[in-house]
Amino acid sequence: MIKSSSSNIQHIQKALTQMNLQIHNVISNIVGVTGLAIIDAILAGERNPEALADLRNSRIKADKQTIVKSLTGDFRAEHLFTLKQSVQSYRNYRQMVHDCDVEIEKHLKKFESRIDSDKLPDPPKKQTRKKIKQNESTFDLRMHMHRFRTLDLGIKHFYSTN
């Protein structure tokens, strides 16, 4: 599912390139907050590069004029259709990954703990500005593994694309 969602990101980028929209060269994560906001606006019918550039998140380093230039293109119907299909597929796969995480955690909670709850490892220290990792599990797998294996395996992520 992660591979498929990654493949859909490439399809999104290809559709944007075919429309001569180079936003993925200006924004590092095309499926991040800003990228999806701009794509959703395009799919909703917005074509004004200035209005699209106004959707950028304050964390985006590129200035508005650079983003405006990258959003000046040709919005042909066949490319918009491909973009729409790719975005829908991407979101579907991301939802499926989330559903798997929920199901995995549900099953992990059923395992009997071999240690007292007060001996569980400390939760990872919170960082003030942790970069969200897209393929990171949505639950604390480290705690569950320690609970029924009685040792800290140092697992940060259940799965990864690396």
Side-chain angles (χ1 to χ4, degrees), residues 2 135-136 157-162:
I2 291 171
N135 298 326
E136 189 173 355
H157 310 288
F158 186 64
Y159 44 81
S160 174
T161 57
N162 295 339

Side-chain angles (χ1 to χ4, degrees), residues 18-159:
Q18 289 175 326
M19 289 188 281
N20 199 31
L21 301 177
Q22 302 298 320
I23 190 67
H24 56 278
N25 292 330
V26 179
I27 297 173
S28 62
N29 184 4
I30 196 67
V31 292
V33 173
T34 297
L36 285 176
I38 290 171
I39 290 170
D40 287 340
I42 290 169
L43 293 174
E46 182 62 62
R47 302 293 182 260
N48 181 348
E50 296 273 340
L52 293 170
D54 286 337
L55 298 172
R56 79 182 193 282
N57 188 286
S58 61
R59 293 183 293 177
I60 298 296
K61 294 178 183 173
D63 61 53
K64 183 177 178 179
Q65 281 310 106
T66 304
I67 294 175
V68 167
K69 287 179 187 176
S70 73
L71 290 169
T72 304
D74 179 24
F75 298 92
R76 291 177 42 191
E78 60 270 23
H79 300 310
L80 289 166
F81 178 78
T82 302
L83 179 64
K84 179 181 175 186
Q85 295 289 303
S86 298
V87 170
Q88 286 175 341
S89 292
Y90 168 77
R91 286 187 167 135
N92 183 49
Y93 281 113
R94 294 311 307 166
Q95 183 61 49
M96 290 170 66
V97 168
H98 173 74
D99 294 346
C100 282
D101 280 350
V102 169
E103 190 69 15
I104 289 168
E105 185 175 29
K106 185 172 85 175
H107 288 287
L108 286 173
K109 287 179 178 179
K110 292 179 183 178
F111 282 94
E112 185 178 325
S113 181
R114 294 184 178 191
I115 59 174
D116 294 331
S117 60
D118 60 333
K119 293 184 180 178
L120 288 173
D122 294 332
K125 293 180 181 177
K126 289 189 177 184
Q127 298 173 352
T128 54
R129 293 194 83 179
K130 179 185 176 190
K131 184 173 181 176
I132 297 170
K133 294 186 177 156
Q134 207 166 21
N135 298 326
E136 189 173 355
S137 59
T138 57
F139 59 92
D140 186 4
L141 180 61
R142 179 176 167 253
M143 183 271 302
H144 286 291
M145 294 300 288
H146 185 75
R147 187 174 55 80
F148 59 84
R149 294 284 300 158
T150 68
L151 69 142
D152 185 359
L153 299 174
I155 296 175
K156 290 184 179 183
H157 310 288
F158 186 64
Y159 44 81

Side-chain angles (χ1 to χ4, degrees), residues 3-30:
K3 281 177 84 173
S4 294
S5 70
S6 297
S7 176
N8 281 294
I9 293 171
Q10 292 173 333
H11 293 296
I12 291 168
Q13 290 172 337
K14 183 175 181 178
L16 292 169
T17 300
Q18 289 175 326
M19 289 188 281
N20 199 31
L21 301 177
Q22 302 298 320
I23 190 67
H24 56 278
N25 292 330
V26 179
I27 297 173
S28 62
N29 184 4
I30 196 67

